[in-house]
Amino acid sequence: MALVTLAEVLNDAYRNGYAVAGFNFYTYEDASAIVRGAEELDSPVILMASGKAIKHLGVDYAASTVKVLAERASVPVVAHLDHATDLKTIFQAIKHGFTSVMYDGSMLGIDENIKNTKLVVSVARALGVSVEAEIGRVGMSEEGEDIGEILTDPDSASEFYDSTGVDALAVAIGSAHGMQKQEASLDLDLAREIHESVDVPLVLHGSSGVRDEDLRQIARYGFAKINIGTKLKHVFAQGIRDLCNSSTYVPDPLKIVVNASQEISHVVKEKIALLRE
Ligand code: G3H
Ligand code: ZN
């Protein structure tokens, strides 16, 4: 299958009250394990490259990795650039074949966020690429520093969407990036209010820290894209640790990463199944 856009997979989810999972990847191994998990459930999947992945792989190789995996896959795959704060990276990503980009202007005032997002939308739309943007601010940045959470105001969300016409809107309702345990306390009333104010697929960031029952609930409140990163990092690292701690010495990096990535596929399947219940 070829790559698809974010809008293509989210529109069906949004209209039918389920969510599609977006997973962060950093290497070929975790990316392919994510796609394998999605294939086993016959589900579309969003592969997301954030700043660290782009720094490690390069924007060209990150795009090629997803493109090759999508061509071999039996399910639709979205190549999504996650949390880009600069326009240059966005335009490079589009040039190299990402089918979806997130412009993250959440650190800016609403006027500048709108201005930059509009520019991204005008370029991306002309080239058939989807755009996600953020209004309000999810606690903790992708790099782990405290950036101060700002819960999303439903009226601002509505103004932002009317002004930009993005394909997906990330909002802050109490989750935070990088949580080790599923203990976030989401404001579900706010989630519903935003959903009632804005007719666009919503995105939840920091979903590793959100309880399963809350994830299920917000999928019904228009959150059609659920971003999961930290959970997979832990599973991958734990898999490597377990193998290295076992009594048999495994002098084979390929065996080590392939073994560790199997656990990623399991978690991917669990999350996908949960979000489409
Ligand atoms: O953009 C990526 C996500 O928001 C991932 O958040 O690492 O806390 O699951 P997480
Ligand atoms: Zn995020």
Side-chain angles (χ1 to χ4, degrees):
M1 250 183 209
L3 285 171
V4 296
T5 66
L6 187 66
E8 282 172 81
V9 300
L10 289 197
N11 286 342
D12 185 67
Y14 180 65
R15 298 291 161 216
N16 292 297
Y18 68 96
V20 181
F23 295 102
N24 287 111
F25 73 96
Y26 300 88
T27 66
Y28 170 80
E29 294 305 332
D30 52 352
S32 60
I34 292 165
V35 174
R36 267 200 311 280
E39 284 182 309
E40 284 183 40
L41 291 189
D42 198 21
S43 167
V45 72
I46 303 157
L47 283 181
M48 309 194 297
S50 65
K52 272 189 194 163
I54 295 293
K55 201 167 167 202
H56 174 62
L57 300 169
V59 70
D60 52 350
Y61 194 74
S64 304
T65 301
V66 185
K67 195 165 161 247
V68 169
L69 286 169
E71 277 161 6
R72 294 177 189 163
S74 58
V75 294
V77 178
V78 179
H80 178 77
L81 177 73
D82 196 25
H83 286 290
T85 51
D86 69 292
L87 300 176
K88 190 171 162 215
T89 307
I90 299 243
F91 297 140
Q92 276 177 347
I94 292 174
K95 178 179 153 211
H96 285 288
F98 277 83
T99 53
S100 174
V101 292
M102 177 194 185
Y103 172 66
D104 182 353
S106 62
M107 297 295 280
L108 307 172
I110 184 166
D111 292 341
E112 206 177 347
N113 192 357
I114 286 176
K115 188 181 90 190
N116 291 350
T117 303
K118 275 172 82 169
L119 176 62
V120 172
V121 170
S122 66
V123 174
R125 189 135 301 149
L127 297 166
V129 171
S130 303
V131 179
E132 173 186 335
E134 180 164 327
I135 184 75
R137 191 186 303 142
V138 174
M140 306 289 282
S141 76
E142 283 294 297
E143 277 65 48
E145 73 264 27
D146 186 359
I147 52 171
E149 176 182 60
I150 300 177
L151 293 181
T152 302
D153 165 52
D155 291 335
S156 304
S158 175
E159 180 194 346
F160 188 86
Y161 176 62
D162 289 347
S163 310
T164 59
V166 288
D167 300 286
L169 186 59
V171 295
I173 56 166
S175 60
H177 288 112
M179 287 181 69
Q180 317 290 322
K181 293 188 178 155
Q182 290 179 272
E183 294 180 338
S185 77
L186 293 192
D187 187 335
L188 295 175
D189 290 335
L190 178 61
R192 202 187 50 238
E193 249 186 275
I194 297 170
H195 176 44
E196 285 165 2
S197 310
V198 198
D199 187 15
V200 65
L202 300 170
V203 183
L204 186 72
H205 283 250
S207 308
S208 295
V210 177
R211 291 181 188 86
D212 286 350
E213 60 267 31
D214 286 354
L215 291 178
R216 251 196 316 259
Q217 184 59 49
I218 60 161
R220 296 183 191 116
Y221 291 163
F223 284 73
K225 176 171 180 270
I226 301 292
N227 286 9
I228 299 165
T230 302
K231 175 75 184 169
L232 296 192
K233 278 197 218 171
H234 281 280
V235 164
F236 201 23
Q238 187 63 43
I240 291 174
R241 183 154 83 174
D242 288 348
L243 201 68
C244 293
N245 282 346
S246 73
S247 48
T248 327
Y249 173 52
V250 185
D252 185 340
L254 189 52
K255 265 193 191 144
I256 293 171
V257 289
V258 168
N259 183 74
S261 68
Q262 278 166 4
E263 199 45 41
I264 290 185
S265 300
H266 288 145
V267 173
V268 163
K269 276 164 50 181
E270 272 171 24
K271 295 295 179 186
I272 289 174
L274 173 79
L275 296 175
R276 66 184 193 186
E277 263 174 28

